[in-house]
């Protein structure tokens, strides 16, 4: 698969504080790729360097295609109407607004509303529409569903899947692990200014080992355990309860979530 | 070019919707004209000879210094700048479009004054209307350039108002539209010459064209344009 983005040895410092310490990764064409990291990991700096919004100290960034960018923190002039903004951006980019995409995002319904009258969800939809006015090959979505209600999130997820289906490469920055798990083909976790993990969600699970959360309920209350080898460990755990004379009334087992794996890697555990 | 023209027409509409420019470019200058025009011509009948020029200098200075900077602060000190930059809208477009729109509004307001003053207060029309409007065109451009410095340099709306007033008050008080600058102490007279209003008023009221009155305006314009360019580069970083 061809590369849409290639980042090599990227470094960036703010004064004496080095945020990116030689970042290396690539994003493949047509995939949904998530860049994850706890606050201060360098996620926003990396994205802004790739998007061309911030200068970097050394390294190289290769972009194969036109970029469309939906920023997390975005705004427009207070009295600009939704459709006027789309037309303005399309005209500067010498493109024609994609009617189907605008309809799917519900921009025509917002046509007569000024920017300040839009809700958070409507603003996010509008900024996605603006990012699409360049007819981009690569789309950056920074926290695209933040502040959206459940219906808005489902609708936006569907639109992101449709964009992938027509061949767009999508780079997603999100704090919503469920969203990342549902949408992304691959993820990269940033920790300490470097890539601590890159691969699929399944590969992350494998890399972290078979990890289970067990909750055992007895008449005396519930106790939680984290086990790796569930077969032997659970059996011996139950034997211990029997030996103590406690009756087990319920057992809950769940596999370690992406969230847990993410936190372990991101914090360097 | 299509994008630029669409941007100009859109900015024109935004300015009308926002009402800030409407108030500062039309309502306040015309209200000032209605009241002060009456006072001037009653107290000093000879004021009618320069009423069009003095009211125009007030209106343009007010519209430019008070009206333009908030629009620029809205674009360049907020996330709008990032959205423009990220999605292919040239950063300079914000500066250019707001200036052109304000320029048109200020020119229209000046035309209203030019027509209304003789009708209401029997003000005298400038001897050479062509030269008057050329002088006016230069003066509006220079005033907007000064206003752009405030809009690009200051980061928030509250401070913008403060800096605008700091420049606006001496511009008007020391320009000669209220009283002859020759009557002012030398220091005030010299200070007044640092602002375009004094030179704009001089240029518009002179009966013959003097390059000596145009040159300071051109110098202020060049200096202001260079400063705007530097500030825009700083904003871009």
């Amino acid at each position: 698969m061809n590369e849409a983005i290639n980042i090599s040895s990227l470094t960036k410092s703010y004064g004496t504080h080095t945020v990116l310490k030689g970042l290396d990764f690539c994003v493949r064409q047509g995939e949904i790729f998530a860049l994850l990291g706890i606050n201060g990991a360098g996620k926003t700096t990396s994205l802004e360097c790739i998007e061309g919004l911030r200068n970097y100290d050394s390294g190289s960034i290769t972009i194969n295609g036109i970029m469309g960018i939906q920023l997390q923190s975005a705004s427009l002039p207070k009295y600009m109407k939704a459709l006027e903004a789309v037309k303005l951006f399309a005209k500067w980019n010498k493109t024609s607004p994609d009617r189907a995409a605008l309809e799917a995002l519900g921009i025509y319904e917002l046509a007569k509303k000024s920017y300040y009258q839009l809700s958070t969800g409507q603003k996010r939809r509008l900024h996605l529409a603006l990012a699409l006015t360049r007819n981009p090959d690569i789309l950056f979505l920074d926290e695209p569903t933040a502040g959206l209600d459940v219906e808005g999130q489902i609708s936006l997820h569907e639109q992101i899947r449709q964009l992938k289906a027509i061949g767009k490469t999508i780079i997603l920055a999100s704090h919503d692990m469920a969203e990342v798990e549902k949408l992304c083909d691959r993820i990269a976790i940033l920790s300490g200014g470097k890539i601590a993990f890159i691969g699929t969600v399944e590969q992350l699970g494998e890399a972290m080992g078979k990890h289970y959360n067990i909750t055992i309920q007895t008449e005396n209350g519930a106790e939680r355990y984290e086990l790796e080898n569930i077969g032997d460990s659970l059996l011996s755990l139950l034997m211990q309860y029997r030996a103590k004379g406690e009756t087990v009334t319920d057992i809950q087992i769940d596999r370690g979530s992406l969230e847990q794996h993410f936190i372990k890697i991101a914090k360097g555990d | 070019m299509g994008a630029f023209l669409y941007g100009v027409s859109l900015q024109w509409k935004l300015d009308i919707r926002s009402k800030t420019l409407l108030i500062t470019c039309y309502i306040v200058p015309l209200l000032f004209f209605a009241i002060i025009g009456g006072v001037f011509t009653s107290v000093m009948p000879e004021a009618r000879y320069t009423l069009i020029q003095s009211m125009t200098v007030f209106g343009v200075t007010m519209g430019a210094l008070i009206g333009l900077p908030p629009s620029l602060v809205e674009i360049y000190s907020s996330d709008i700048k990032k959205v423009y930059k990220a999605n292919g809208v040239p950063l300079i477009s914000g500066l250019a479009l707001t200036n052109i729109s304000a320029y048109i509004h200020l020119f229209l307001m000046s035309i209203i004054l030019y027509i209304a003053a003789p009708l209401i207060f029997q003000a005298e029309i400038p001897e050479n209307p062509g030269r008057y409007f050329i002088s006016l065109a230069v003066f509006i451009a220079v005033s907007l350039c000064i206003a752009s410095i405030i809009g690009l340099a200051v980061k928030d709306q509250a401070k913008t108002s403060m800096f605008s007033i700091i420049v606006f008050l001496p511009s008007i008080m020391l320009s000669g539209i209220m009283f002859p600058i020759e009557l002012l102490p030398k220091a005030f007279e010299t200070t007044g010459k640092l602002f375009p209003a004094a030179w704009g008023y001089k240029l518009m009221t002179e009966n013959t064209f003097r390059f000596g009155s145009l040159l300071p305006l051109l110098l202020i314009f060049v200096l202001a344009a260079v400063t705007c360019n530097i500030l825009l580069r700083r904003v871009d970083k």
Side-chain angles (χ1 to χ4, degrees):
Chain A
M1 198 180 272
N2 293 331
E3 288 176 356
I5 296 172
N6 191 305
I7 311 295
S8 178
S9 309
L10 189 70
T11 65
K12 170 72 185 171
S13 300
Y14 297 107
T16 54
H17 177 56
T18 306
V19 180
L20 303 180
K21 299 170 183 168
L23 213 58
D24 290 288
F25 68 93
C26 74
V27 180
R28 298 167 190 156
Q29 274 177 5
E31 74 173 345
I32 302 181
F33 183 90
L35 194 58
L36 309 174
I38 56 171
N39 291 341
K43 188 177 48 159
T44 303
T45 301
S46 321
L47 282 179
E48 289 188 346
C49 288
I50 301 166
E51 291 163 353
L53 298 175
R54 197 173 286 282
N55 295 328
Y56 50 93
D57 300 334
S58 65
S60 71
I61 298 172
T62 310
I63 312 276
N64 295 315
I66 297 166
M67 291 189 290
I69 301 162
Q70 184 211 33
L71 298 162
Q72 185 194 357
S73 177
S75 188
L76 283 175
K78 199 176 167 187
Y79 294 97
M80 191 178 277
K81 292 181 179 173
L83 214 51
E84 289 174 343
V86 173
K87 274 188 195 168
L88 179 71
F89 279 59
K91 279 184 181 287
W92 277 115
N93 287 296
K94 296 185 173 68
T95 57
S96 301
D98 180 347
R99 289 189 69 85
L102 294 181
E103 261 170 37
L105 289 166
I107 300 301
Y108 290 109
E109 295 158 26
L110 314 174
K112 290 185 178 173
K113 278 191 173 180
S114 291
Y115 186 73
Y116 79 97
Q117 295 172 314
L118 302 179
S119 68
T120 307
Q122 290 170 333
K123 283 179 182 170
R124 292 219 172 263
R125 274 155 49 197
L126 174 58
H127 284 289
L128 179 56
L130 295 179
L132 290 170
T133 55
R134 299 181 99 176
N135 194 16
D137 306 302
I138 305 161
L139 198 56
F140 289 84
L141 305 177
D142 197 351
E143 302 286 347
T145 53
L148 293 190
D149 58 17
V150 177
E151 196 185 358
Q153 286 184 16
I154 292 169
S155 160
L156 198 64
H157 287 170
E158 189 47 42
Q159 278 147 19
I160 292 171
R161 285 193 193 96
Q162 283 175 13
L163 290 167
K164 175 185 156 65
I166 57 169
K168 309 278 185 203
T169 304
I170 295 160
I171 323 287
L172 190 75
S174 176
H175 281 111
D176 184 345
M177 290 301 138
E179 176 174 89
V180 169
E181 204 161 2
K182 263 189 265 175
L183 289 174
C184 296
D185 298 307
R186 288 195 310 142
I187 59 171
I189 299 175
L190 263 173
S191 176
K194 285 190 164 187
I195 296 289
F197 171 82
I198 187 162
T200 62
V201 172
E202 291 74 25
Q203 285 169 340
L204 176 63
E206 284 163 19
M208 297 304 291
K210 295 286 182 192
H211 189 93
Y212 297 91
N213 297 317
I214 314 283
T215 306
I216 295 182
Q217 180 81 43
T218 68
E219 290 152 335
N220 300 328
E223 284 190 78
R224 279 176 59 86
Y225 301 90
E226 284 187 18
L227 302 178
E228 290 212 354
N229 187 345
I230 192 166
D232 296 341
S233 309
L234 183 58
L235 194 59
S236 77
L237 204 59
L238 292 172
M239 298 289 277
Q240 285 171 29
Y241 276 94
R242 176 179 278 186
K244 285 192 277 181
E246 288 186 48
T247 308
V248 174
T249 56
D250 193 15
I251 303 173
Q252 286 174 7
I253 304 171
D254 68 81
R255 290 192 63 179
S257 64
L258 173 61
E259 206 159 28
Q260 285 173 318
H261 298 327
F262 162 69
I263 289 168
K264 277 196 168 185
I265 290 182
K267 289 189 171 173
D269 291 350
Chain B
M1 193 63 187
F4 191 77
L5 291 178
Y6 180 75
V8 171
S9 72
L10 181 57
Q11 187 61 46
W12 167 268
K13 285 191 231 168
L14 295 183
D15 287 340
I16 289 172
R17 284 179 206 152
S18 87
K19 298 184 182 64
T20 307
L21 217 73
L22 205 64
I23 291 168
T24 54
C25 285
Y26 296 99
I27 296 173
V28 175
L30 294 177
L31 213 60
F32 183 85
F33 158 71
I35 298 165
I36 303 298
V39 173
F40 272 21
T41 48
S42 303
V43 177
M44 304 176 287
E46 67 276 14
R48 71 184 187 86
Y49 295 110
T50 54
L51 191 67
I52 291 176
Q53 293 88 335
S54 58
M55 293 298 109
T56 303
V57 165
F58 175 85
V60 169
T61 306
M62 163 131 200
L65 293 176
I66 313 285
L68 180 66
S71 303
L72 292 174
V73 172
E74 186 191 18
I75 295 170
Y76 291 104
S77 297
S78 71
D79 293 321
I80 297 175
K81 173 188 74 177
K82 277 166 87 176
V83 173
Y84 278 13
K85 197 177 170 188
N87 288 297
V89 179
L91 216 49
I92 196 172
S93 70
L95 179 67
L97 299 178
T98 48
N99 266 276
I100 290 171
S101 173
Y103 193 97
I104 298 168
H105 282 295
L106 291 176
F107 215 97
L108 280 178
M109 181 271 296
S110 303
I111 290 171
I112 294 170
L113 287 174
Y114 188 87
I115 295 166
L119 295 175
I120 302 170
F121 300 117
Q122 289 76 49
E124 194 162 286
I125 291 173
E127 255 180 41
N128 185 338
R131 192 165 53 76
Y132 169 76
F133 278 108
I134 291 170
S135 306
L136 173 65
V138 174
F139 174 56
I140 296 175
V142 180
S143 300
L144 287 173
C145 229
I146 297 288
S148 297
I149 294 177
I150 299 172
L152 290 172
V154 184
K155 300 285 176 205
D156 67 75
Q157 298 287 8
K159 282 184 186 163
T160 305
S161 307
M162 188 181 76
F163 280 101
S164 292
I165 295 290
I166 287 172
V167 181
F168 172 71
L169 284 178
S171 287
I172 292 303
M173 301 305 288
L174 308 177
S175 64
I177 68 166
M178 302 282 192
F179 29 76
I181 49 171
E182 297 78 31
L183 300 178
L184 294 170
K186 193 72 186 163
F188 284 178
E189 189 186 337
T190 311
T191 308
K193 286 178 179 170
L194 295 173
F195 300 100
W199 295 106
Y201 182 60
K202 195 164 187 279
L203 194 66
M204 286 192 279
T205 48
E206 279 168 352
N207 290 328
T208 51
F209 175 76
R210 286 190 192 142
F211 189 68
S213 301
L214 178 67
L215 187 65
L217 278 177
L218 294 179
L219 274 174
I220 296 171
F221 181 78
V222 170
L223 283 173
V226 170
T227 310
C228 284
N229 188 32
I230 293 166
L231 289 170
L232 201 60
R233 281 166 193 260
R234 197 186 71 177
V235 166
D236 197 15
K237 282 182 183 173

